[in-house]
Amino acid sequence: MPESTVLVVGGAGFIGSNLVRYWLRKHPRDRVVSLTSGRRVSPGHTGAQDVVCDLGEPDGLKQVLTEQSVDIVINCGGWSDNGRAVRDPLACFEANVARCMAVLEACRTTGVRHYHQVSSAEVYGDLSVAAGVDESAPLRPLTPYSSTKAAADQLALSYGHTYGLAVTITLSSNNYGPAQLPEKVIPRFVTRALLGLTLPVFESPGSSREWLHVRDHCRAIDRIISAGTPGERYNVGGGVNAGAHEIADAVLDFLGLPADRKVTVPARPALLNRTAVDSTKVRTEVGWRPEKDFAAGLKETIQWYVDNRDWWLPHVEAQGEK
C-alpha cells in the first residue's frame, strides 16, 4: 500500500510535470496521479498514473479523487502566460479561478487531507523597492493573469477557514528550467536564437524578475506540505534578479552569436517593472533553501534546448515563429 496518494493537477505542464518526476524520485512509496486535460506539453513520466479529466465537469474530478483514494492534491493547473491573459482575460478567469473552485469543491466533498496551490509572486504587483516583499504585503495584482491568481489564492484560503481543509500556497518568483514552453522568455530566446531569429526584448529599462529553478520550487512544495502550517502562504524565490536584456545577452554569449541579434520592441500592456519576494518565512519555518545557482542553471537550461530540438520545434511552429 502506498504511504500517500498524491494527485497533481496540471501534471502535463511545466511545473506539474517536474513535480511529478520529483515526487516519484523523492517519495518512491507514494502513488502519484497526474491529472491532465489531455494535452501534454512536457515530457511524460515513468511510474505516474495519467488521468484525463475535464475540470469543467466537477463530478468527474470527484470520481477520480474517490476512486484513487487521493490524500494530497497539488494544483499546478491553469494559465501562466501574461500575454495570453491580456488577449483573452475571460478564458484566463475560467482557467485560473472557476476551475480552481471546482478542484477545491471536489477536495472538500471527498475528504482530501491536504490541498496545495501553486501561485505567483505577481499577485504583489510592481515593486519599486530593492528588497522583495514578505507574506504580510498587500496583494496588488495589476494584470488579468495576476488578478486571477490572487482570486484563486483567496478562494483556497477561504476553504481552509470555512471548511477546515488544510491549505498551503506557494507564491513563487519566475520559474525556469528544461522543457518549458517557448512562450516563456528564456526558452523563447533560446529557441529563436537556434532558429537564426532575433531576440525581442521589451522596451522597459530597469525591468527585472527574480528567478527560481523549477526543481527548487518542487523541493519547497514538498517541504511545505510536510512541515508547513495549514492556512499559510509561502514566498519562494531563488534570490537572483535578472532582466530580459541580461538573459538575452547570456543566451547569445553561450551560443556564440552576435549581440546585434537582440532587438528592442514596444512593451506589452501592464508590463511589470520588477518582481521579487522575501523568502525568509519558508527558509526559517520549513528549512528550505534554493540549491540551483542561477548562472549554472541558465547554462544547463540553454544546453537542454540545444540537445532537444525535436521536442521544442513543434511548439515553435505552432506559434507561427518559423
Side-chain angles (χ1 to χ4, degrees), residues 123-124 132-139 154 157 169-172 224 231-237 276-285:
V123 299
Y124 293 120
V133 294
D134 65 20
E135 291 84 354
S136 67
L139 304 185
Q154 295 304 108
L157 293 173
I169 300 173
T170 46
L171 299 102
S172 74
I224 289 166
E232 294 294 322
R233 299 179 302 149
Y234 293 87
N235 292 341
V236 184
V277 293
D278 180 341
S279 301
T280 300
K281 181 176 176 179
V282 72
R283 291 168 180 254
T284 57
E285 187 171 318

CSV table of all heavy atoms in Angstrom, one decimal, residues 123-124 132-139 154 157 169-172 224 231-237 276-285:
chain,number,residue,atom,x,y,z
A,123,VAL,N,1.2,38.5,-7.8
A,123,VAL,CA,0.0,39.0,-7.0
A,123,VAL,C,0.3,40.2,-6.2
A,123,VAL,O,-0.6,40.9,-5.8
A,123,VAL,CB,-0.6,37.9,-6.1
A,123,VAL,CG1,-1.1,36.7,-7.0
A,123,VAL,CG2,0.3,37.4,-5.0
A,124,TYR,N,1.6,40.4,-5.9
A,124,TYR,CA,2.0,41.6,-5.1
A,124,TYR,C,2.1,42.8,-6.0
A,124,TYR,O,2.3,43.9,-5.4
A,124,TYR,CB,3.4,41.3,-4.5
A,124,TYR,CG,3.4,40.2,-3.4
A,124,TYR,CD1,4.2,39.1,-3.5
A,124,TYR,CD2,2.6,40.3,-2.3
A,124,TYR,CE1,4.2,38.1,-2.6
A,124,TYR,CE2,2.6,39.4,-1.3
A,124,TYR,CZ,3.4,38.3,-1.4
A,124,TYR,OH,3.4,37.3,-0.5
A,132,GLY,N,12.7,42.3,-1.7
A,132,GLY,CA,11.4,41.6,-2.0
A,132,GLY,C,10.4,41.8,-0.9
A,132,GLY,O,10.8,42.0,0.3
A,133,VAL,N,9.2,41.6,-1.2
A,133,VAL,CA,8.1,41.7,-0.2
A,133,VAL,C,7.9,40.4,0.5
A,133,VAL,O,8.1,39.3,0.0
A,133,VAL,CB,6.8,42.2,-0.8
A,133,VAL,CG1,6.9,43.6,-1.4
A,133,VAL,CG2,6.3,41.2,-1.9
A,134,ASP,N,7.5,40.5,1.8
A,134,ASP,CA,7.1,39.3,2.5
A,134,ASP,C,5.6,39.0,2.5
A,134,ASP,O,4.9,39.7,1.8
A,134,ASP,CB,7.7,39.3,4.0
A,134,ASP,CG,7.0,40.4,4.8
A,134,ASP,OD1,5.9,40.9,4.5
A,134,ASP,OD2,7.5,40.8,5.9
A,135,GLU,N,5.2,37.9,3.1
A,135,GLU,CA,3.8,37.5,3.0
A,135,GLU,C,2.8,38.5,3.6
A,135,GLU,O,1.6,38.3,3.4
A,135,GLU,CB,3.7,36.1,3.6
A,135,GLU,CG,4.3,35.0,2.9
A,135,GLU,CD,5.8,34.9,3.2
A,135,GLU,OE1,6.4,35.7,4.0
A,135,GLU,OE2,6.4,33.9,2.7
A,136,SER,N,3.3,39.4,4.4
A,136,SER,CA,2.3,40.4,5.0
A,136,SER,C,2.0,41.5,4.1
A,136,SER,O,1.1,42.4,4.4
A,136,SER,CB,2.9,41.0,6.3
A,136,SER,OG,4.1,41.8,6.0
A,137,ALA,N,2.7,41.6,2.9
A,137,ALA,CA,2.4,42.7,2.0
A,137,ALA,C,1.0,42.6,1.4
A,137,ALA,O,0.5,41.5,1.2
A,137,ALA,CB,3.5,42.7,0.8
A,138,PRO,N,0.4,43.7,1.1
A,138,PRO,CA,-0.9,43.6,0.4
A,138,PRO,C,-0.9,43.1,-1.0
A,138,PRO,O,0.2,43.2,-1.7
A,138,PRO,CB,-1.4,45.1,0.4
A,138,PRO,CG,-0.1,45.9,0.5
A,138,PRO,CD,0.8,45.1,1.3
A,139,LEU,N,-1.9,42.4,-1.4
A,139,LEU,CA,-2.0,41.9,-2.8
A,139,LEU,C,-2.4,43.1,-3.7
A,139,LEU,O,-3.5,43.7,-3.5
A,139,LEU,CB,-3.0,40.8,-2.9
A,139,LEU,CG,-2.7,39.6,-2.0
A,139,LEU,CD1,-3.7,38.5,-2.3
A,139,LEU,CD2,-1.3,39.1,-2.1
A,154,GLN,N,-7.2,33.4,-2.7
A,154,GLN,CA,-8.2,33.8,-1.6
A,154,GLN,C,-9.3,32.7,-1.5
A,154,GLN,O,-9.7,32.4,-0.4
A,154,GLN,CB,-8.8,35.2,-1.9
A,154,GLN,CG,-7.8,36.3,-1.8
A,154,GLN,CD,-7.0,36.3,-0.5
A,154,GLN,OE1,-5.9,36.0,-0.4
A,154,GLN,NE2,-7.7,36.7,0.6
A,157,LEU,N,-7.8,29.8,0.5
A,157,LEU,CA,-7.7,30.1,1.9
A,157,LEU,C,-9.0,30.1,2.6
A,157,LEU,O,-9.2,29.7,3.7
A,157,LEU,CB,-7.0,31.4,2.1
A,157,LEU,CG,-5.5,31.5,1.7
A,157,LEU,CD1,-4.9,32.9,1.8
A,157,LEU,CD2,-4.7,30.5,2.6
A,169,ILE,N,0.0,27.5,0.2
A,169,ILE,CA,0.1,28.1,-1.1
A,169,ILE,C,1.6,28.6,-1.2
A,169,ILE,O,2.2,29.1,-0.3
A,169,ILE,CB,-0.7,29.4,-1.2
A,169,ILE,CG1,-2.2,29.0,-1.1
A,169,ILE,CG2,-0.5,30.1,-2.5
A,169,ILE,CD1,-3.2,30.2,-1.0
A,170,THR,N,2.2,28.3,-2.4
A,170,THR,CA,3.5,28.9,-2.7
A,170,THR,C,3.3,30.0,-3.7
A,170,THR,O,2.6,29.9,-4.7
A,170,THR,CB,4.5,27.9,-3.3
A,170,THR,OG1,3.8,27.1,-4.3
A,170,THR,CG2,5.0,26.9,-2.3
A,171,LEU,N,3.9,31.2,-3.4
A,171,LEU,CA,3.9,32.3,-4.3
A,171,LEU,C,5.3,32.5,-4.8
A,171,LEU,O,6.2,33.0,-4.0
A,171,LEU,CB,3.5,33.6,-3.6
A,171,LEU,CG,2.0,33.6,-3.0
A,171,LEU,CD1,2.0,33.3,-1.5
A,171,LEU,CD2,1.3,34.9,-3.3
A,172,SER,N,5.6,31.9,-6.0
A,172,SER,CA,6.9,31.8,-6.4
A,172,SER,C,7.3,32.9,-7.4
A,172,SER,O,6.5,33.5,-8.1
A,172,SER,CB,7.1,30.4,-7.1
A,172,SER,OG,6.5,30.4,-8.4
A,224,ILE,N,6.9,22.2,2.4
A,224,ILE,CA,5.7,22.9,2.9
A,224,ILE,C,4.6,22.0,3.3
A,224,ILE,O,4.0,22.1,4.3
A,224,ILE,CB,5.3,24.0,2.0
A,224,ILE,CG1,6.3,25.2,1.9
A,224,ILE,CG2,3.9,24.6,2.3
A,224,ILE,CD1,6.1,26.1,0.8
A,231,GLY,N,-3.1,26.9,6.1
A,231,GLY,CA,-3.7,28.3,6.1
A,231,GLY,C,-2.7,29.4,5.8
A,231,GLY,O,-3.0,30.6,5.9
A,232,GLU,N,-1.4,29.0,5.5
A,232,GLU,CA,-0.4,29.9,5.3
A,232,GLU,C,0.1,30.0,3.8
A,232,GLU,O,0.0,29.0,3.1
A,232,GLU,CB,0.9,29.6,6.2
A,232,GLU,CG,0.6,29.7,7.7
A,232,GLU,CD,0.4,31.2,8.1
A,232,GLU,OE1,1.0,32.1,7.5
A,232,GLU,OE2,-0.5,31.4,9.0
A,233,ARG,N,0.5,31.2,3.4
A,233,ARG,CA,1.2,31.4,2.1
A,233,ARG,C,2.7,31.5,2.4
A,233,ARG,O,3.1,32.0,3.4
A,233,ARG,CB,0.7,32.7,1.5
A,233,ARG,CG,-0.8,32.7,1.2
A,233,ARG,CD,-1.2,34.1,0.6
A,233,ARG,NE,-0.9,35.2,1.5
A,233,ARG,CZ,-0.6,36.4,1.1
A,233,ARG,NH1,-0.5,36.7,-0.2
A,233,ARG,NH2,-0.3,37.4,1.9
A,234,TYR,N,3.4,30.9,1.4
A,234,TYR,CA,4.9,30.9,1.5
A,234,TYR,C,5.5,31.5,0.2
A,234,TYR,O,5.3,31.0,-0.9
A,234,TYR,CB,5.4,29.5,1.7
A,234,TYR,CG,5.0,28.9,3.1
A,234,TYR,CD1,3.8,28.3,3.2
A,234,TYR,CD2,5.9,29.1,4.2
A,234,TYR,CE1,3.5,27.7,4.5
A,234,TYR,CE2,5.5,28.5,5.4
A,234,TYR,CZ,4.3,27.9,5.5
A,234,TYR,OH,4.0,27.3,6.8
A,235,ASN,N,6.2,32.6,0.4
A,235,ASN,CA,7.0,33.1,-0.8
A,235,ASN,C,8.2,32.2,-1.1
A,235,ASN,O,8.9,31.7,-0.1
A,235,ASN,CB,7.6,34.5,-0.5
A,235,ASN,CG,6.5,35.6,-0.4
A,235,ASN,OD1,5.4,35.4,-0.9
A,235,ASN,ND2,6.8,36.7,0.3
A,236,VAL,N,8.4,31.9,-2.3
A,236,VAL,CA,9.6,31.1,-2.7
A,236,VAL,C,10.3,31.7,-3.9
A,236,VAL,O,9.8,31.9,-5.0
A,236,VAL,CB,9.1,29.6,-3.1
A,236,VAL,CG1,10.3,28.8,-3.4
A,236,VAL,CG2,8.2,29.0,-2.1
A,237,GLY,N,11.5,32.2,-3.6
A,237,GLY,CA,12.3,32.8,-4.6
A,237,GLY,C,13.7,32.3,-4.6
A,237,GLY,O,14.2,31.9,-3.6
A,276,ALA,N,10.0,40.5,-7.0
A,276,ALA,CA,10.9,39.8,-6.1
A,276,ALA,C,10.2,39.5,-4.8
A,276,ALA,O,9.3,40.3,-4.4
A,276,ALA,CB,12.1,40.7,-5.9
A,277,VAL,N,10.6,38.5,-4.1
A,277,VAL,CA,9.9,38.1,-2.9
A,277,VAL,C,11.0,37.9,-1.8
A,277,VAL,O,12.1,37.5,-2.1
A,277,VAL,CB,9.1,36.8,-3.0
A,277,VAL,CG1,7.9,37.1,-3.9
A,277,VAL,CG2,9.9,35.7,-3.5
A,278,ASP,N,10.6,38.1,-0.6
A,278,ASP,CA,11.4,37.8,0.6
A,278,ASP,C,11.0,36.4,1.0
A,278,ASP,O,9.9,36.1,1.4
A,278,ASP,CB,11.0,38.8,1.7
A,278,ASP,CG,11.8,38.6,3.0
A,278,ASP,OD1,12.4,37.4,3.2
A,278,ASP,OD2,11.9,39.5,3.8
A,279,SER,N,11.9,35.4,0.9
A,279,SER,CA,11.7,34.0,1.2
A,279,SER,C,12.1,33.6,2.6
A,279,SER,O,12.2,32.4,2.9
A,279,SER,CB,12.4,33.1,0.2
A,279,SER,OG,12.0,33.4,-1.1
A,280,THR,N,12.2,34.6,3.5
A,280,THR,CA,12.6,34.3,4.9
A,280,THR,C,11.7,33.3,5.6
A,280,THR,O,12.2,32.3,6.2
A,280,THR,CB,12.7,35.6,5.7
A,280,THR,OG1,13.6,36.5,5.1
A,280,THR,CG2,13.1,35.3,7.2
A,281,LYS,N,10.4,33.4,5.4
A,281,LYS,CA,9.5,32.5,6.1
A,281,LYS,C,9.7,31.0,5.7
A,281,LYS,O,9.7,30.2,6.6
A,281,LYS,CB,8.1,33.0,5.8
A,281,LYS,CG,7.0,32.2,6.4
A,281,LYS,CD,5.6,32.8,6.1
A,281,LYS,CE,4.5,32.0,6.7
A,281,LYS,NZ,3.2,32.6,6.3
A,282,VAL,N,9.8,30.7,4.4
A,282,VAL,CA,9.9,29.3,4.0
A,282,VAL,C,11.3,28.8,4.4
A,282,VAL,O,11.5,27.6,4.7
A,282,VAL,CB,9.7,29.2,2.5
A,282,VAL,CG1,10.8,29.8,1.7
A,282,VAL,CG2,9.5,27.7,2.1
A,283,ARG,N,12.3,29.7,4.5
A,283,ARG,CA,13.6,29.3,4.9
A,283,ARG,C,13.7,28.9,6.4
A,283,ARG,O,14.3,27.9,6.8
A,283,ARG,CB,14.7,30.4,4.6
A,283,ARG,CG,14.9,30.6,3.1
A,283,ARG,CD,15.7,31.9,2.8
A,283,ARG,NE,15.9,32.1,1.4
A,283,ARG,CZ,17.1,31.9,0.8
A,283,ARG,NH1,18.1,31.5,1.5
A,283,ARG,NH2,17.3,32.2,-0.5
A,284,THR,N,13.1,29.8,7.2
A,284,THR,CA,13.1,29.5,8.6
A,284,THR,C,12.1,28.5,9.1
A,284,THR,O,12.4,27.8,10.0
A,284,THR,CB,12.9,30.9,9.4
A,284,THR,OG1,11.7,31.4,9.0
A,284,THR,CG2,14.0,31.9,9.0
A,285,GLU,N,10.9,28.5,8.5
A,285,GLU,CA,9.9,27.7,9.1
A,285,GLU,C,10.0,26.2,8.6
A,285,GLU,O,9.7,25.3,9.4
A,285,GLU,CB,8.5,28.2,8.7
A,285,GLU,CG,7.3,27.5,9.3
A,285,GLU,CD,6.0,28.1,9.1
A,285,GLU,OE1,5.9,29.4,9.2
A,285,GLU,OE2,5.0,27.4,8.9
